[in-house]
């Protein structure tokens, strides 16, 4: 019987892979046989993630320290990964941040920081991985983690820089898909809705949010751990051969209203 989503022997780089959704997606790919590179700014945390993945899934995994706003650091990190594994087949651009404040009170520094991490950082990592591995190998799967907030506004938490940056990631995905599609690289984006992570659980479980969810989310709840995994596996797999430039919301229906 054929396993359509077998990733055995492939190398997957996941940014922002110290906690939360990044770790969940890395484990999902490891479960399909992919070797994992966990990349983030906290070395002790990515090393621990890599160690746990190796023990649980029996694949190779390493932690790599990198600030995705630093072009030189990215180049060094990608070179280190290729020296270790020989290639990078899959990139999940997950690293990001989020400033919450009324638009009229957002500082220049907050706005610029958001764009620098969420948008420019996504581009810089994709550029380096494509140039050093995917274009020469004529194969790659790039999955940019945008947000449903990159598609719509919101009335619960003012975050205009985040909306702007993630909207940029959505159209950056389409632009890269157009440029790199004929080079064997598929570039797609996932737009997650509200998902439970250690940082969001308290807020999502609050009575205020629960009332909001019942009104604004057709499924009337936030996303549970693991509900993003299947989309990431699909887009990372060799079976998504003709899927390119797609923006896939995983949001319980939030953006369909």
């Amino acid at each position: 019987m054929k396993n359509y989503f077998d990733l055995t022997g492939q190398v997957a780089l996941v940014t922002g892979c110290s906690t939360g959704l990044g770790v969940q997606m890395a484990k999902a790919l490891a479960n399909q046989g992919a070797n994992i590179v966990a990349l983030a700014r906290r070395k002790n945390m990515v090393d621990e993630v890599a160690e746990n993945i190796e023990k649980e899934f029996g694949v190779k995994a390493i932690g790599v320290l990198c600030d995705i706003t630093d072009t030189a650091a990215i180049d060094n990190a990608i070179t280190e990964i290729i020296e270790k594994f020989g290639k990078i087949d899959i990139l999940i651009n997950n690293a990001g941040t989020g400033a919450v404040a009324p638009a009229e009170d957002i500082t220049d520094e907050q706005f610029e920081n958001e764009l620098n991490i969420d948008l420019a950082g996504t581009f810089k990592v994709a550029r380096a991985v494509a140039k050093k591995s995917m274009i020469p190998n004529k194969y790659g799967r790039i999955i940019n983690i945008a947000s449903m907030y990159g598609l719509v506004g919101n009335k619960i938490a003012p975050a205009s820089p985040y909306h702007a940056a993630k909207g940029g990631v959505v159209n950056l995905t389409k632009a890269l898909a157009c440029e790199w599609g004929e080079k064997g690289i598929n570039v797609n984006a996932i737009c997650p809705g509200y998902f439970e992570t250690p940082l969001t659980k308290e807020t999502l479980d609050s009575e205020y949010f629960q009332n909001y969810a019942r009104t604004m989310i057709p499924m009337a709840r936030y996303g549970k751990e693991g509900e993003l995994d299947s989309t990431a596996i699909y887009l990372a797999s060799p079976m998504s051969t003709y899927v390119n430039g797609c923006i896939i919301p995983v949001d319980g229906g939030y953006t369909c209203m």
Side-chain angles (χ1 to χ4, degrees), residues 62-79:
I62 61 170
V64 173
L65 174 69
C66 184
D67 178 347
I68 65 161
T69 66
D70 184 335
T71 300
I74 293 168
D75 287 340
N76 290 337
I78 301 310
T79 298

Side-chain angles (χ1 to χ4, degrees), residues 13-50:
L13 166 60
V14 183
T15 72
C17 194
S18 55
T19 60
L21 296 179
V23 175
Q24 289 176 31
M25 289 185 287
K27 287 184 174 182
L29 299 188
N31 187 62
Q32 302 306 116
N35 298 314
I36 301 297
V37 180
L39 184 146
R41 289 182 297 176
R42 293 172 283 187
K43 188 70 165 76
N44 62 318
M45 295 186 74
V46 290
D47 284 345
E48 184 179 344
V49 168

Side-chain angles (χ1 to χ4, degrees), residues 47-222:
D47 284 345
E48 184 179 344
V49 168
E51 184 180 343
N52 291 339
I53 286 175
E54 280 198 341
K55 285 180 181 176
E56 185 173 353
F57 301 101
V59 299
K60 295 176 183 175
I62 61 170
V64 173
L65 174 69
C66 184
D67 178 347
I68 65 161
T69 66
D70 184 335
T71 300
I74 293 168
D75 287 340
N76 290 337
I78 301 310
T79 298
E80 176 188 341
I81 295 162
I82 293 172
E83 285 175 355
K84 170 75 174 178
F85 287 112
K87 61 176 182 172
I88 299 169
D89 301 292
I90 301 159
L91 166 63
I92 298 185
N93 265 318
N94 172 69
T97 186
V100 177
E104 63 272 23
D105 296 326
I106 289 285
T107 65
D108 290 352
E109 290 75 20
Q110 283 176 307
F111 197 90
E112 289 160 8
N113 185 60
E114 197 84 33
L115 293 180
N116 203 21
I117 295 172
D118 288 7
L119 181 54
T122 293
F123 172 72
K124 288 177 180 181
V125 177
R127 176 180 62 188
V129 171
K131 189 167 188 175
K132 290 175 179 283
S133 181
M134 292 181 176
I135 292 173
N137 292 332
K138 297 182 173 59
Y139 181 87
R141 296 285 185 269
I142 296 176
I143 304 165
N144 295 325
I145 305 302
S147 168
M148 66 182 188
Y149 282 1
L151 302 171
V152 294
N154 91 90
K155 288 282 286 179
I156 192 172
S160 53
Y162 184 77
H163 285 268
K166 292 301 190 179
V169 171
V170 166
N171 220 36
L172 173 65
T173 298
K174 296 179 181 182
L176 296 181
C178 288
E179 284 199 44
W180 293 340
E182 62 184 3
K183 300 180 188 295
I185 303 170
N186 296 32
V187 188
N188 296 289
I190 300 174
C191 292
Y194 301 110
F195 268 84
E196 177 185 339
T197 69
L199 292 177
T200 64
K201 183 169 173 55
E202 185 178 349
T203 299
L204 297 184
D205 283 340
S206 67
E207 183 179 357
Y208 175 69
F209 180 83
Q210 291 295 315
N211 290 334
Y212 177 81
R214 282 190 285 272
T215 303
M216 295 300 297
I217 304 172
M219 294 184 72
R221 64 172 178 84
Y222 57 75

Side-chain angles (χ1 to χ4, degrees), residues 147-148 151 189-193 195 228 231 246-256:
S147 168
M148 66 182 188
L151 302 171
I190 300 174
C191 292
F195 268 84
L228 204 60
T231 307
C246 289
I247 312 301
I248 304 178
V250 183
D251 62 3
Y254 186 100
T255 52
C256 77

